[in-house]
Amino acid sequence: MTTLLERVRAGETLNDVLVIDAHGHMGRWFNFHVPDGSAAGMIRTMDRIGVRAIVSSGHAAIGPDYKLGNDDIEQGARAYPGRISGYITVNPNYPEREMRDELEARWATGLFLGIKFHADMHKYPSDGERYTPAWEFAHEHRLPLLSHDIVAHFEEPVKKYTQAKLLIAHSISSHEMLEAATGLALRHANVYLDICGSPLIYGALELAVEKVGAGRILFGTDLPFIDPRPQVGRVAFARIPEADKLRIFGENAMELFGLAGKVA
């Protein structure tokens, strides 16, 4: 039987493998050129690689206009059902009532599967009180919540909101991040690791699997912010069992996001 490593090394498209990208974006970015951030452009790239579906947040949402970014994702999800789904991005610099209304309205569309924080861009920590409505919403609906932040800022929220499923963005992109993220995951069963990120630290994925198990690690690429192909190689070339690679590529995301019967 041909292995995933052999297939990727040969340049094959993984059409018959369940690959779900749990960390995507959409649209333009303010400080460098994204060749094609459109939904159609993303689908073309996904098809070349063999990515079945992606869960995305809008670039505008983590930047200057979170509602515009959520609009972009909603339009993309409507255009490509079963291929594109969304994170509801919230911005803590706006009134609490506005955040609650945005969460309720987007969730009601059925096109969004989780919530997105970007503490770095929005200049507010994930454990700050202004994020409370989003943590409460994730807890109530048992939703994944993807956040890019210092890991220490997650400790209290994941302890309090046990039904929310925290997905730590870029969790293996440095040795320090890997140690902190795996430590948090070992302390809390509702914590998952996202492998997205441009730094490819040698042995990081193997160490993450060794520490927390493959069942809580998800494939992500930052498409179209970053070329997704190195991330495919990161999993395919990892010195881990083939079954673990399949879990990371898509099986874990299928379960975490409740995608059974919803993926094209």
PDB file of all heavy atoms in Angstrom, residues 190-211:
ATOM      1  N   ASN A 190     -10.569  19.987  27.126  1.00  0.00           N
ATOM      2  CA  ASN A 190     -11.250  20.767  26.091  1.00  0.00           C
ATOM      3  C   ASN A 190     -10.279  21.647  25.303  1.00  0.00           C
ATOM      4  O   ASN A 190     -10.686  22.625  24.683  1.00  0.00           O
ATOM      5  CB  ASN A 190     -12.373  21.617  26.684  1.00  0.00           C
ATOM      6  CG  ASN A 190     -11.905  22.551  27.790  1.00  0.00           C
ATOM      7  OD1 ASN A 190     -10.930  22.284  28.483  1.00  0.00           O
ATOM      8  ND2 ASN A 190     -12.622  23.661  27.969  1.00  0.00           N
ATOM      9  N   VAL A 191      -9.002  21.302  25.301  1.00  0.00           N
ATOM     10  CA  VAL A 191      -7.975  22.070  24.586  1.00  0.00           C
ATOM     11  C   VAL A 191      -7.415  21.227  23.441  1.00  0.00           C
ATOM     12  O   VAL A 191      -7.059  20.054  23.630  1.00  0.00           O
ATOM     13  CB  VAL A 191      -6.844  22.502  25.531  1.00  0.00           C
ATOM     14  CG1 VAL A 191      -5.695  23.156  24.750  1.00  0.00           C
ATOM     15  CG2 VAL A 191      -7.380  23.465  26.593  1.00  0.00           C
ATOM     16  N   TYR A 192      -7.328  21.845  22.259  1.00  0.00           N
ATOM     17  CA  TYR A 192      -6.823  21.193  21.055  1.00  0.00           C
ATOM     18  C   TYR A 192      -5.701  22.035  20.458  1.00  0.00           C
ATOM     19  O   TYR A 192      -5.626  23.249  20.700  1.00  0.00           O
ATOM     20  CB  TYR A 192      -7.947  21.035  20.025  1.00  0.00           C
ATOM     21  CG  TYR A 192      -9.081  20.161  20.476  1.00  0.00           C
ATOM     22  CD1 TYR A 192     -10.029  20.621  21.390  1.00  0.00           C
ATOM     23  CD2 TYR A 192      -9.218  18.851  20.012  1.00  0.00           C
ATOM     24  CE1 TYR A 192     -11.073  19.813  21.821  1.00  0.00           C
ATOM     25  CE2 TYR A 192     -10.256  18.035  20.432  1.00  0.00           C
ATOM     26  CZ  TYR A 192     -11.182  18.528  21.343  1.00  0.00           C
ATOM     27  OH  TYR A 192     -12.209  17.721  21.759  1.00  0.00           O
ATOM     28  N   LEU A 193      -4.854  21.405  19.664  1.00  0.00           N
ATOM     29  CA  LEU A 193      -3.710  22.076  19.061  1.00  0.00           C
ATOM     30  C   LEU A 193      -3.896  22.214  17.557  1.00  0.00           C
ATOM     31  O   LEU A 193      -4.311  21.274  16.880  1.00  0.00           O
ATOM     32  CB  LEU A 193      -2.421  21.305  19.333  1.00  0.00           C
ATOM     33  CG  LEU A 193      -2.129  20.930  20.786  1.00  0.00           C
ATOM     34  CD1 LEU A 193      -0.766  20.247  20.879  1.00  0.00           C
ATOM     35  CD2 LEU A 193      -2.184  22.136  21.697  1.00  0.00           C
ATOM     36  N   ASP A 194      -3.573  23.390  17.042  1.00  0.00           N
ATOM     37  CA  ASP A 194      -3.639  23.714  15.621  1.00  0.00           C
ATOM     38  C   ASP A 194      -2.205  23.829  15.113  1.00  0.00           C
ATOM     39  O   ASP A 194      -1.414  24.582  15.699  1.00  0.00           O
ATOM     40  CB  ASP A 194      -4.426  25.028  15.478  1.00  0.00           C
ATOM     41  CG  ASP A 194      -4.091  25.834  14.244  1.00  0.00           C
ATOM     42  OD1 ASP A 194      -3.648  25.261  13.247  1.00  0.00           O
ATOM     43  OD2 ASP A 194      -4.275  27.062  14.283  1.00  0.00           O
ATOM     44  N   ILE A 195      -1.839  23.094  14.066  1.00  0.00           N
ATOM     45  CA  ILE A 195      -0.451  23.080  13.596  1.00  0.00           C
ATOM     46  C   ILE A 195      -0.136  24.213  12.630  1.00  0.00           C
ATOM     47  O   ILE A 195       0.983  24.299  12.132  1.00  0.00           O
ATOM     48  CB  ILE A 195      -0.089  21.731  12.956  1.00  0.00           C
ATOM     49  CG1 ILE A 195      -0.817  21.547  11.605  1.00  0.00           C
ATOM     50  CG2 ILE A 195      -0.392  20.581  13.901  1.00  0.00           C
ATOM     51  CD1 ILE A 195      -0.283  20.387  10.787  1.00  0.00           C
ATOM     52  N   CYS A 196      -1.099  25.087  12.363  1.00  0.00           N
ATOM     53  CA  CYS A 196      -0.915  26.177  11.400  1.00  0.00           C
ATOM     54  C   CYS A 196       0.277  27.057  11.789  1.00  0.00           C
ATOM     55  O   CYS A 196       0.530  27.296  12.965  1.00  0.00           O
ATOM     56  CB  CYS A 196      -2.198  26.999  11.376  1.00  0.00           C
ATOM     57  SG  CYS A 196      -2.179  28.351  10.208  1.00  0.00           S
ATOM     58  N   GLY A 197       0.993  27.557  10.784  1.00  0.00           N
ATOM     59  CA  GLY A 197       2.077  28.500  11.036  1.00  0.00           C
ATOM     60  C   GLY A 197       3.194  28.334  10.033  1.00  0.00           C
ATOM     61  O   GLY A 197       3.456  27.223   9.554  1.00  0.00           O
ATOM     62  N   SER A 198       3.891  29.412   9.728  1.00  0.00           N
ATOM     63  CA  SER A 198       4.970  29.344   8.745  1.00  0.00           C
ATOM     64  C   SER A 198       6.252  28.712   9.289  1.00  0.00           C
ATOM     65  O   SER A 198       6.961  28.040   8.535  1.00  0.00           O
ATOM     66  CB  SER A 198       5.265  30.735   8.183  1.00  0.00           C
ATOM     67  OG  SER A 198       5.474  31.671   9.208  1.00  0.00           O
ATOM     68  N   PRO A 199       6.617  28.875  10.581  1.00  0.00           N
ATOM     69  CA  PRO A 199       7.824  28.182  11.063  1.00  0.00           C
ATOM     70  C   PRO A 199       7.586  26.675  11.111  1.00  0.00           C
ATOM     71  O   PRO A 199       6.570  26.219  11.629  1.00  0.00           O
ATOM     72  CB  PRO A 199       8.012  28.746  12.486  1.00  0.00           C
ATOM     73  CG  PRO A 199       7.204  29.993  12.535  1.00  0.00           C
ATOM     74  CD  PRO A 199       6.051  29.756  11.617  1.00  0.00           C
ATOM     75  N   LEU A 200       8.514  25.906  10.556  1.00  0.00           N
ATOM     76  CA  LEU A 200       8.414  24.445  10.562  1.00  0.00           C
ATOM     77  C   LEU A 200       9.514  23.911  11.481  1.00  0.00           C
ATOM     78  O   LEU A 200      10.635  23.666  11.047  1.00  0.00           O
ATOM     79  CB  LEU A 200       8.546  23.884   9.148  1.00  0.00           C
ATOM     80  CG  LEU A 200       7.505  24.366   8.133  1.00  0.00           C
ATOM     81  CD1 LEU A 200       7.818  23.829   6.732  1.00  0.00           C
ATOM     82  CD2 LEU A 200       6.109  23.944   8.552  1.00  0.00           C
ATOM     83  N   ILE A 201       9.209  23.784  12.761  1.00  0.00           N
ATOM     84  CA  ILE A 201      10.181  23.359  13.755  1.00  0.00           C
ATOM     85  C   ILE A 201      10.401  21.855  13.649  1.00  0.00           C
ATOM     86  O   ILE A 201       9.449  21.066  13.721  1.00  0.00           O
ATOM     87  CB  ILE A 201       9.704  23.728  15.181  1.00  0.00           C
ATOM     88  CG1 ILE A 201       9.325  25.212  15.256  1.00  0.00           C
ATOM     89  CG2 ILE A 201      10.763  23.376  16.211  1.00  0.00           C
ATOM     90  CD1 ILE A 201      10.434  26.167  14.937  1.00  0.00           C
ATOM     91  N   TYR A 202      11.649  21.446  13.467  1.00  0.00           N
ATOM     92  CA  TYR A 202      11.961  20.033  13.277  1.00  0.00           C
ATOM     93  C   TYR A 202      11.510  19.213  14.482  1.00  0.00           C
ATOM     94  O   TYR A 202      11.854  19.514  15.628  1.00  0.00           O
ATOM     95  CB  TYR A 202      13.462  19.851  13.061  1.00  0.00           C
ATOM     96  CG  TYR A 202      13.867  18.416  12.802  1.00  0.00           C
ATOM     97  CD1 TYR A 202      13.676  17.849  11.539  1.00  0.00           C
ATOM     98  CD2 TYR A 202      14.408  17.637  13.810  1.00  0.00           C
ATOM     99  CE1 TYR A 202      14.028  16.538  11.288  1.00  0.00           C
ATOM    100  CE2 TYR A 202      14.761  16.316  13.563  1.00  0.00           C
ATOM    101  CZ  TYR A 202      14.575  15.771  12.303  1.00  0.00           C
ATOM    102  OH  TYR A 202      14.915  14.468  12.067  1.00  0.00           O
ATOM    103  N   GLY A 203      10.712  18.186  14.229  1.00  0.00           N
ATOM    104  CA  GLY A 203      10.276  17.281  15.275  1.00  0.00           C
ATOM    105  C   GLY A 203       9.130  17.773  16.131  1.00  0.00           C
ATOM    106  O   GLY A 203       8.692  17.065  17.045  1.00  0.00           O
ATOM    107  N   ALA A 204       8.605  18.970  15.843  1.00  0.00           N
ATOM    108  CA  ALA A 204       7.567  19.549  16.711  1.00  0.00           C
ATOM    109  C   ALA A 204       6.268  18.748  16.666  1.00  0.00           C
ATOM    110  O   ALA A 204       5.631  18.529  17.698  1.00  0.00           O
ATOM    111  CB  ALA A 204       7.304  21.003  16.328  1.00  0.00           C
ATOM    112  N   LEU A 205       5.863  18.325  15.476  1.00  0.00           N
ATOM    113  CA  LEU A 205       4.612  17.576  15.374  1.00  0.00           C
ATOM    114  C   LEU A 205       4.750  16.220  16.070  1.00  0.00           C
ATOM    115  O   LEU A 205       3.838  15.784  16.787  1.00  0.00           O
ATOM    116  CB  LEU A 205       4.222  17.395  13.909  1.00  0.00           C
ATOM    117  CG  LEU A 205       2.908  16.649  13.652  1.00  0.00           C
ATOM    118  CD1 LEU A 205       1.746  17.279  14.416  1.00  0.00           C
ATOM    119  CD2 LEU A 205       2.589  16.608  12.165  1.00  0.00           C
ATOM    120  N   GLU A 206       5.874  15.568  15.880  1.00  0.00           N
ATOM    121  CA  GLU A 206       6.097  14.291  16.549  1.00  0.00           C
ATOM    122  C   GLU A 206       6.032  14.451  18.067  1.00  0.00           C
ATOM    123  O   GLU A 206       5.446  13.618  18.770  1.00  0.00           O
ATOM    124  CB  GLU A 206       7.460  13.710  16.149  1.00  0.00           C
ATOM    125  CG  GLU A 206       7.541  13.229  14.720  1.00  0.00           C
ATOM    126  CD  GLU A 206       7.960  14.303  13.723  1.00  0.00           C
ATOM    127  OE1 GLU A 206       7.806  15.497  14.035  1.00  0.00           O
ATOM    128  OE2 GLU A 206       8.415  13.934  12.631  1.00  0.00           O
ATOM    129  N   LEU A 207       6.623  15.516  18.580  1.00  0.00           N
ATOM    130  CA  LEU A 207       6.623  15.742  20.021  1.00  0.00           C
ATOM    131  C   LEU A 207       5.220  16.040  20.527  1.00  0.00           C
ATOM    132  O   LEU A 207       4.816  15.564  21.598  1.00  0.00           O
ATOM    133  CB  LEU A 207       7.570  16.894  20.368  1.00  0.00           C
ATOM    134  CG  LEU A 207       7.803  17.161  21.860  1.00  0.00           C
ATOM    135  CD1 LEU A 207       8.301  15.909  22.565  1.00  0.00           C
ATOM    136  CD2 LEU A 207       8.795  18.307  22.040  1.00  0.00           C
ATOM    137  N   ALA A 208       4.445  16.811  19.762  1.00  0.00           N
ATOM    138  CA  ALA A 208       3.071  17.112  20.148  1.00  0.00           C
ATOM    139  C   ALA A 208       2.234  15.830  20.216  1.00  0.00           C
ATOM    140  O   ALA A 208       1.447  15.639  21.151  1.00  0.00           O
ATOM    141  CB  ALA A 208       2.445  18.100  19.168  1.00  0.00           C
ATOM    142  N   VAL A 209       2.410  14.963  19.233  1.00  0.00           N
ATOM    143  CA  VAL A 209       1.683  13.689  19.232  1.00  0.00           C
ATOM    144  C   VAL A 209       2.100  12.848  20.430  1.00  0.00           C
ATOM    145  O   VAL A 209       1.264  12.219  21.093  1.00  0.00           O
ATOM    146  CB  VAL A 209       1.929  12.924  17.910  1.00  0.00           C
ATOM    147  CG1 VAL A 209       1.383  11.504  17.997  1.00  0.00           C
ATOM    148  CG2 VAL A 209       1.282  13.667  16.748  1.00  0.00           C
ATOM    149  N   GLU A 210       3.375  12.827  20.712  1.00  0.00           N
ATOM    150  CA  GLU A 210       3.870  12.058  21.855  1.00  0.00           C
ATOM    151  C   GLU A 210       3.277  12.564  23.166  1.00  0.00           C
ATOM    152  O   GLU A 210       2.918  11.777  24.043  1.00  0.00           O
ATOM    153  CB  GLU A 210       5.398  12.150  21.904  1.00  0.00           C
ATOM    154  CG  GLU A 210       6.027  11.423  23.079  1.00  0.00           C
ATOM    155  CD  GLU A 210       7.531  11.634  23.149  1.00  0.00           C
ATOM    156  OE1 GLU A 210       8.160  11.860  22.088  1.00  0.00           O
ATOM    157  OE2 GLU A 210       8.083  11.590  24.262  1.00  0.00           O
ATOM    158  N   LYS A 211       3.147  13.888  23.298  1.00  0.00           N
ATOM    159  CA  LYS A 211       2.692  14.475  24.552  1.00  0.00           C
ATOM    160  C   LYS A 211       1.187  14.366  24.751  1.00  0.00           C
ATOM    161  O   LYS A 211       0.716  14.006  25.831  1.00  0.00           O
ATOM    162  CB  LYS A 211       3.124  15.942  24.619  1.00  0.00           C
ATOM    163  CG  LYS A 211       4.599  16.163  24.948  1.00  0.00           C
ATOM    164  CD  LYS A 211       4.939  17.637  24.909  1.00  0.00           C
ATOM    165  CE  LYS A 211       6.353  17.905  25.396  1.00  0.00           C
ATOM    166  NZ  LYS A 211       6.461  17.868  26.863  1.00  0.00           N
TER     167      LYS A 211
END
